[in-house]
């Protein structure tokens, strides 16, 4: 995603510089024909719905209603922004992000550093860490329902480690449900961050480590002054993309708690609010305004990502 | 002498850490497979001891039969295969052709189209799901298969990735073919396409992984039994209250199996594909 920002100007300059091709007309026609299917599909299934979301967010449109649709101005936004349900959902999203981003990035970095060592069998470990990526979040959620059961494997481990002091009912006690969701998310997707960071680690020049070793740098100093600066681009990318994706949190909190977003709204998220409003209650107008607010959050984070990308 | 001792101690520590972390990733998978083989009443109760890893008392046939019959696994499998198949195959064609047109061909509106595609990368599907639901129910497409694949065929991100890949190819071969009188279609099919196989493989795997796990959109548009993809089938099968754990785990095992097979077969492309973009959170 981050690579997209840089290349905007090259296409124009190259189009200007390109030599007149063999058959200009056939090339021009091919250009249009080649891009036409994508253009039509993007128009119908992306541009139009996106425009529709903006428009509908100012109406009282319902999914099924005998009453005519009318303009309601900013009413939807006012209602959503004064609804404690929405703020609770936003708060849950932020809690999820604030914990997931550093923990997931940190663990991914640790895994990447471990398997990047020239140790026998490190490829096997890399594969093990990566396998959960192939699990759909729905399948991961169901497996973890078993593990997170009050008498499940996690609590068996907990009981041993804490001598029975801490064995919560993870999914039914609102104090711990979000922790459980974070754990599942970590399991299901940390391999993705690991792969990106591993690719970055392998690109750090060996000579830098050798020079640092000659200067007598300890392992930690090498990590701090060679590894981290060497992978700062990908590290920044992983942090920001994890942050942006975390606001889409939906599958796990829809499937795992006793009811979606529960118990007591402890895992309610913006996406759950949107699906609940726009789909389950059929309030398309109000659901669209939640979608627009969600988009603004993503846009804000993306602008932040582009703006603060570390320079070379 | 001393350094090698330090190194081996460091090695042992690394192995210990890697194995401990490995258990965190592997044990849930082991529990899934073991649980899918044993009697339902033992799935949860065995978790308090090492019997969690004992597949006895065996109830393999009943569990998988239950996932297939009660859970309608194969109905949902068919839906998922068709939906993912169309998204992956048609998507590869549509997105790569558009990426190629932007990278190598010249036509009116090319620059504008490129800028629009780059801008569209930012829009997450979730931001358009609600109005799209309205549009699709207006034309009465809900509870069909096409409503599940049509919105996901053209993807700005993949167009961009193909664009970047084609720009990285040396232009000489295409130039030479053009001088020999080959038209743009011949050039694409016989020169560019064979060179781009790695890009296609990565995009295909990424696209498959994403479409196979789709959840939010089918929650809204795939309610009836014969159009439920696997993730929705799984949640319906779970039902409310205490589920049949062993059958549910058998369902999950069957569901992840195709992806694990693809993963093992194409591990290299898989890793590259996932590293190339960010699609999972």
């Amino acid at each position: 995603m981050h690579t997209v920002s840089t290349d905007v100007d090259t296409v124009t300059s190259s189009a200007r510089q390109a030599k007149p091709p063999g058959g200009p007309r056939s090339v021009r026609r091919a250009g249009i024909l080649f891009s036409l299917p994508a253009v039509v599909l993007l128009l119908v299934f992306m541009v139009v719905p996106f425009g529709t979301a903006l428009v509908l967010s100012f109406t009282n449109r319902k999914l099924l209603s005998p009453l005519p649709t009318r303009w309601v101005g900013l009413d939807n936004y006012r209602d959503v922004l004064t609804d404690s349900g929405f703020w609770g959902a936003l708060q849950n999203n932020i809690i999820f992000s604030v914990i997931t981003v550093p923990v997931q990035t940190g663990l991914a970095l640790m895994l990447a550093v471990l398997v990047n060592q020239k140790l026998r069998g490190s490829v096997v470990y890399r594969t093990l860490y990566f396998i959960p990526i192939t699990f759909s979040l729905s399948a991961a959620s169901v497996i973890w329902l078993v593990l997170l059961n009050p008498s499940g494997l996690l609590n068996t481990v907990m009981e041993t480690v804490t001598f029975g002091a801490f064995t919560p009912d993870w999914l039914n006690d609102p104090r711990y449900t979000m922790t459980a969701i974070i754990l599942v998310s970590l399991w299901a997707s940390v391999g993705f961050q690991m792969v990106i960071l591993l690719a970055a680690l392998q690109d750090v020049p060996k000579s830098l480590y050798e020079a640092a070793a000659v200067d007598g740098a300890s392992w930690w100093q090498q990590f701090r002054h060679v590894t981290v600066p060497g992978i700062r681009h990908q590290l920044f990318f992983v942090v920001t993309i994890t942050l942006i994706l975390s606001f889409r949190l939906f599958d796990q909190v829809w499937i795992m708690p006793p009811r979606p977003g529960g118990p007591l709204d402890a895992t309610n998220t913006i996406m759950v609010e949107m699906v609940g409003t726009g789909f389950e209650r059929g309030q398309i107008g109000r659901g669209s305004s939640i979608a627009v607010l969600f988009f603004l959050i993503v846009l804000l984070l993306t602008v932040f990502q582009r703006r603060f990308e570390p320079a070379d | 002498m001393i350094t090698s001792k330090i190194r081996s101690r460091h090695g042992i520590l690394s192995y210990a850490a890697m194995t401990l972390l490995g258990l965190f990733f592997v044990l849930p998978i082991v529990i899934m497979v073991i649980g899918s083989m044993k009697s339902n009443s033992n799935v949860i109760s065995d978790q308090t001891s090492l019997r969690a890893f004992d597949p006895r008392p065996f109830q393999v046939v009943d569990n998988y039969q239950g996932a297939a019959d009660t859970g309608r696994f194969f109905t949902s499998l068919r839906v998922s295969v068709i939906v993912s198949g169309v998204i992956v195959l048609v998507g590869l064609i549509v997105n790569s052709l558009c990426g190629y047109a932007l990278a190598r061909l010249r036509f009116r509106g090319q620059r504008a189209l490129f800028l629009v595609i780059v801008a569209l990368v930012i829009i997450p599907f979730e931001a358009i799901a609600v109005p799209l639901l309205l549009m699709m129910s207006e034309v009465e497409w809900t509870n069909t298969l096409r409503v599940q694949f049509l919105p996901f065929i053209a993807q700005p991100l993949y167009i961009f990735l193909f664009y970047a890949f084609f720009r990285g190819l040396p232009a000489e071969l295409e130039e030479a073919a053009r001088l020999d009188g080959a038209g743009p279609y011949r050039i694409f099919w016989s020169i560019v396409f064979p060179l781009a196989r790695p890009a296609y493989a990565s995009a295909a795997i990424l696209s498959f992984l994403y479409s196979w796990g789709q959840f939010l959109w089918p929650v809204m548009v795939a309610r009836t039994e014969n159009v439920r993809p696997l993730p929705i089938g799984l949640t319906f099968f779970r039902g409310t209250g205490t589920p049949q754990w062993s059958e549910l785990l058998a369902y999950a095992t069957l569901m992840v199996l195709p992806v694990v097979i693809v993963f093992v077969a194409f591990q290299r492309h898989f890793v590259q594909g996932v590293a190339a973009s960010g699609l999972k959170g």
Side-chain angles (χ1 to χ4, degrees):
Chain A
M1 239 163 145
H2 73 314
T3 45
V4 176
S5 59
T6 51
D7 247 9
V8 179
D9 295 322
T10 46
V11 70
T12 32
S13 59
S14 79
R16 242 178 268 131
Q17 284 161 10
K19 290 175 208 140
R25 185 176 294 169
S26 77
V27 170
R28 233 178 294 144
R29 212 174 47 209
I32 289 171
L33 277 177
F34 276 27
S35 46
L36 196 63
V39 169
V40 171
L41 284 167
L42 287 176
L43 210 60
V44 175
F45 292 105
M46 214 165 174
V47 178
V48 170
F50 187 67
T52 310
L54 291 173
V55 174
L56 288 177
S57 69
F58 298 106
T59 71
N60 68 346
R61 181 76 206 215
K62 303 279 195 306
L63 194 57
L64 301 162
S65 169
L67 298 170
T69 304
R70 48 181 187 82
W71 295 98
V72 296
L74 290 168
D75 283 9
N76 287 325
Y77 290 97
R78 191 198 59 207
D79 291 349
V80 169
L81 291 174
T82 54
D83 175 12
S84 61
F86 177 81
W87 288 106
L90 183 63
Q91 191 187 332
N92 285 332
N93 268 114
I94 292 172
I95 291 171
F96 178 80
S97 304
V98 164
I99 298 172
T100 302
V101 171
V103 171
Q104 200 153 316
T105 311
L107 182 62
L109 183 58
M110 185 171 156
L111 295 174
V113 168
L114 280 171
V115 298
N116 191 40
Q117 301 175 101
K118 299 278 164 291
L119 291 172
R120 197 183 291 268
S122 57
V123 179
V124 177
Y125 284 101
R126 190 192 71 191
T127 309
L128 291 185
Y129 304 155
F130 192 71
I131 282 183
I133 284 289
T134 64
F135 281 51
S136 308
L137 285 170
S138 51
S141 298
V142 164
I143 299 167
W144 279 87
L145 279 178
V146 174
L147 299 165
L148 291 164
N149 190 282
S151 48
L153 191 64
L154 181 66
N155 272 353
T156 307
V157 174
M158 279 294 176
E159 195 168 340
T160 317
V161 176
T162 66
F163 301 103
F166 187 67
T167 55
D169 186 348
W170 296 95
L171 292 168
N172 290 300
D173 185 335
R175 284 175 300 172
Y176 302 111
T177 322
M178 191 50 102
T179 312
I181 298 290
I182 289 169
L183 192 65
V184 182
S185 311
L186 190 69
W187 182 82
S189 47
V190 73
F192 157 65
Q193 282 91 341
M194 178 198 74
V195 168
I196 294 175
L197 294 178
L198 183 59
L201 286 176
Q202 288 167 349
D203 284 344
V204 180
K206 298 269 175 303
S207 56
L208 289 180
Y209 288 106
E210 283 154 16
V214 168
D215 288 348
S218 68
W219 181 89
W220 174 249
Q221 284 170 323
Q222 289 188 25
F223 177 77
R224 180 72 191 72
H225 297 288
V226 179
T227 309
V228 171
I231 61 169
R232 67 186 188 285
H233 284 108
Q234 290 85 348
L235 215 47
F236 180 79
F237 173 65
V238 163
V239 166
T240 48
I241 197 81
T242 308
L243 183 62
I244 292 171
L245 288 174
S246 69
F247 278 87
R248 299 183 179 182
L249 177 63
F250 179 74
D251 301 13
Q252 304 94 302
V253 294
W254 190 265
I255 296 172
M256 296 186 70
R259 53 186 306 151
L264 294 176
D265 284 346
T267 61
N268 196 24
T269 63
I270 296 177
M271 283 298 111
V272 173
E273 277 286 307
M274 189 189 81
V275 173
T277 308
F279 167 66
E280 290 196 311
R281 287 193 288 284
Q283 298 175 329
I284 297 285
R286 187 166 167 171
S288 295
S289 69
I290 298 178
V292 171
L293 291 169
F294 164 73
F295 173 72
L296 289 177
I297 293 172
V298 171
L299 184 67
L300 197 75
L301 294 173
T302 310
V303 168
F304 170 85
Q305 181 189 39
R306 304 272 164 89
R307 177 75 185 74
F308 291 100
E309 207 167 10
D312 281 304
Chain B
M1 189 71 182
I2 292 168
T3 46
S4 80
K5 209 178 228 168
I6 290 172
R7 209 172 275 161
S8 76
R9 216 178 65 192
H10 184 79
I12 290 168
L13 276 175
S14 292
Y15 278 119
M18 287 197 294
T19 308
L20 205 64
L21 287 162
L23 288 176
F24 170 65
F25 292 99
V26 174
L27 286 186
I29 302 172
V30 174
I31 290 290
M32 172 187 78
V33 176
I34 299 280
S36 78
M37 297 165 75
K38 65 167 94 175
S39 117
N40 180 57
S41 54
N42 290 68
V43 173
I44 300 292
S45 61
D46 282 358
Q47 300 259 319
T48 50
S49 68
L50 283 174
R51 291 187 54 196
F53 303 102
D54 182 351
R56 289 166 304 179
F58 282 115
Q59 200 188 293
V60 184
V61 178
D62 281 0
N63 293 341
Y64 282 84
Q65 194 102 49
D69 295 345
T70 325
R72 296 306 205 107
F73 176 80
F74 289 99
T75 311
S76 292
L77 179 69
R78 180 180 154 273
V79 174
S80 279
V81 167
I82 294 173
V83 169
S84 291
V86 172
I87 291 175
V88 173
L89 291 175
V90 183
L92 283 184
I93 298 169
V94 167
N95 295 318
S96 68
L97 286 179
C98 186
Y100 183 72
L102 290 173
R104 283 285 205 263
L105 302 173
R106 285 174 36 187
F107 55 97
R108 273 177 77 109
Q110 183 177 29
R111 170 157 206 258
L113 179 61
F114 183 79
L115 292 175
V116 168
I117 301 250
V118 168
L120 289 181
V121 171
I122 301 170
I123 301 181
F125 176 77
E126 288 84 346
I128 59 172
V130 169
L132 194 62
L133 166 69
L134 177 71
M135 284 168 62
M136 296 296 102
S137 61
E138 296 273 282
V139 293
E140 298 189 347
W141 277 14
T142 50
N143 293 319
T144 62
L145 292 181
R146 60 183 174 276
V147 77
Q148 295 181 56
F149 57 68
L150 279 173
F152 302 100
I153 290 173
Q155 292 284 352
L157 180 66
Y158 297 151
I159 295 175
F160 185 83
L161 291 176
F162 275 113
Y163 160 83
F165 181 86
F166 291 133
R167 300 242 345 144
L169 288 179
E172 285 81 16
L173 280 171
E174 291 159 72
E175 206 69 40
R178 186 146 50 222
L179 293 176
D180 285 346
Y185 309 101
R186 262 289 304 276
I187 293 175
F188 183 82
W189 182 244
S190 35
I191 296 176
V192 176
F193 178 71
L195 287 175
R197 282 208 188 118
Y200 279 96
S202 297
I205 286 162
L206 208 57
S207 171
F208 171 69
L209 187 62
Y210 182 67
S211 56
W212 196 256
Q214 282 265 36
F215 190 70
L216 181 135
W217 183 237
V219 160
M220 303 202 290
V221 296
R223 309 297 289 180
T224 55
E225 195 177 276
N226 46 358
V227 295
R228 275 178 210 153
L230 289 168
I232 304 296
L234 184 66
T235 53
F236 268 91
F237 187 36
R238 181 199 162 187
T240 47
T242 308
Q244 287 285 320
W245 291 111
S246 57
E247 293 182 4
L248 204 57
L249 291 174
Y251 193 115
T253 307
L254 288 172
M255 177 175 162
V256 299
L257 209 61
V259 195
V260 173
I261 291 171
V262 171
F263 170 65
V264 172
F266 301 102
Q267 193 175 161
R268 195 166 49 90
H269 291 302
F270 214 105
V271 171
Q272 284 167 353
V274 170
S277 103
L279 282 176
K280 208 180 175 193

